[in-house]
Amino acid sequence: MRFELNDDGHPSIVKFESMMDSNRVGFFDSEEFEEIIDYYMEMGKVEKARKAVSLAISQHPTSVNLRLFKAELLIFDNKFELAHSLLNELHLLEPNNAEIYIQKANIYSKTENHNKAIKLLELAAEVTEDQADVFNLIGMEQLFLENYAAAKESFIKCLELDHEDYSALYNIMYCFDFLNQNEEAILFLNKYLNENPYCEVAWHQLGKQYFSIKDYKKALSAFDFAIISDDTFVGAYLEKGKVLEKLKRYKEAI
């Protein structure tokens, strides 16, 4: 479970920080602890996350979500056997909890058993409410295996579920490029843009694809649409300059 936390002004964070500063132990409900721990982990404040997990489990020893955070920290510390043992316990309690499969897959990924990680992530995809993130993780594991065709399909599934996941879009283009599939990439991007006509990232990527096959007029048009979609998109201006230079329109390029 991931929470949207913007800053230290969140009430639970303020309350926990105050408690640590005063060395007093206060009570938090399990959801508050989840917010606190998630915030610290997202911010890279691992030591504070450890303290929060320890206190959280002492107050809510049966909470699966809080114990999942403990497993995540064990994996972070490369304590894979302890993490795996804990995850097995949690799996008996909640066999359809996707996060358990994801964290187990994380262990196998870190130990370079990417095929096993993919199998576990595929199980997670069957039971999760957030398939987009899981397909993104599967794609990353397939990249580790240099299986670019399979990775591309996983990232495409991710993008189909979340049209604004631009990291997935970039990864799809990376796979197309590695496979030397410029024409296929162009078809894919045009289809995507039919449904998302104001996506500056897609227009930018389409321009790069046209540039790679030396269709400079279409590349120029694509970069213009990227700029129309976002007139602060520096990358589109740079690429447009390169195209104008190829077309010998040097003053415009400058």
Side-chain angles (χ1 to χ4, degrees), residues 11 62 85 98 101 114 206:
T62 62
S85 177
Y101 291 113
H114 301 295
L206 182 61

Side-chain angles (χ1 to χ4, degrees), residues 105-169:
N106 192 15
I107 294 172
Y108 285 111
S109 179
K110 282 177 170 285
T111 54
E112 298 187 7
N113 190 341
H114 301 295
N115 284 312
K116 182 66 175 177
I118 289 168
K119 289 179 181 178
L120 286 164
L121 290 169
E122 287 171 345
L123 291 173
E126 294 176 7
V127 297
T128 188
E129 294 180 358
D130 192 2
Q131 284 189 317
D133 279 352
V134 176
F135 283 125
N136 188 60
L137 291 171
I138 292 171
M140 295 307 297
E141 293 301 317
Q142 288 162 333
L143 283 183
F144 283 128
L145 293 170
E146 299 184 359
N147 190 344
Y148 297 98
K152 179 185 70 177
E153 295 306 315
S154 295
F155 291 127
I156 287 173
K157 288 179 183 178
C158 174
L159 192 64
E160 286 172 347
L161 292 164
D162 182 358
H163 286 178
E164 295 185 358
D165 189 337
Y166 297 148
S167 66
L169 180 57

